[in-house]
């Protein structure tokens, strides 16, 4: 278990422990919540954090779609490799294995796992 001062990474909730308040009208709050929901965010805070990021990228919904597309590409590659029985051909098998690893890494980046993706 991580102990304060040991240099190990803390959970997101424990690292983000400062609050910022913003005064809005009930109509403004409802409008912001609707925008977050339309963009596919689970809550207003996640949407606001992405909007304030240095380089706001894809919406939460678009990230989920991209992860699914990358997963489908990986699945097709995997099926192709199995159908062609390429394991005896390292010149083909190794680059395809690398593509699969890259696909998993892209999925993790898009969803904010591993390296931070926004």
């Amino acid at each position: 278990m991580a102990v304060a001062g040991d240099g190990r990474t803390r959970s997101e909730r424990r690292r983000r422990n400062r609050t910022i308040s913003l005064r809005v009208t009930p109509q403004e709050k409802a409008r912001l919540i609707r925008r977050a929901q339309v963009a596919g965010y689970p809550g207003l805070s996640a949407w606001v954090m992405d909007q304030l990021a240095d380089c706001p990228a894809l919406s939460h919904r678009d990230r989920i779609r991209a992860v699914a597309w990358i997963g489908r590409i990986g699945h097709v590659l995997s099926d192709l490799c199995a159908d062609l029985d390429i394991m005896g051909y390292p010149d083909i098998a190794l680059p395809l294995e690398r593509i699969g690893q890259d696909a998993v890494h892209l999925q993790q980046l898009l969803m904010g796992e591993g390296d931070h993706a926004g």
Side-chain angles (χ1 to χ4, degrees):
M1 179 171 178
V3 178
D6 66 3
R8 293 172 57 189
T9 303
R10 303 288 183 256
S11 70
E12 188 72 16
R13 179 174 288 182
R14 289 175 59 198
R15 285 184 281 157
R16 289 191 173 162
N17 58 7
R18 300 294 186 262
T19 301
I20 298 174
S21 297
L22 178 66
R23 293 189 184 277
V24 294
T25 66
Q27 296 81 12
E28 289 170 330
K29 182 176 180 181
R31 183 175 49 87
L32 292 172
I33 290 171
R34 275 193 306 275
R35 286 182 65 186
Q37 289 171 341
V38 166
Y41 284 83
L44 185 56
S45 294
W47 178 77
V48 169
M49 289 301 290
D50 266 5
Q51 295 302 306
L52 296 175
D54 291 335
C55 54
L58 300 171
S59 71
H60 184 71
R61 177 180 290 158
D62 288 341
R63 283 197 300 260
I64 290 172
R65 287 179 181 158
V67 165
W69 290 331
I70 293 167
R72 282 193 290 267
I73 292 168
H75 181 74
V76 169
L77 282 174
S78 178
D79 284 351
L80 181 63
C81 292
D83 290 347
L84 296 177
D85 192 25
I86 63 166
M87 295 315 290
Y89 303 93
D91 290 346
I92 297 171
L94 292 176
L96 288 176
E97 182 179 334
R98 184 64 173 273
I99 291 170
Q101 292 169 350
D102 289 346
V104 169
H105 184 68
L106 281 172
Q107 288 176 316
Q108 291 171 340
L109 287 174
L110 283 167
M111 293 314 294
E113 301 166 13
D115 295 330
H116 184 62

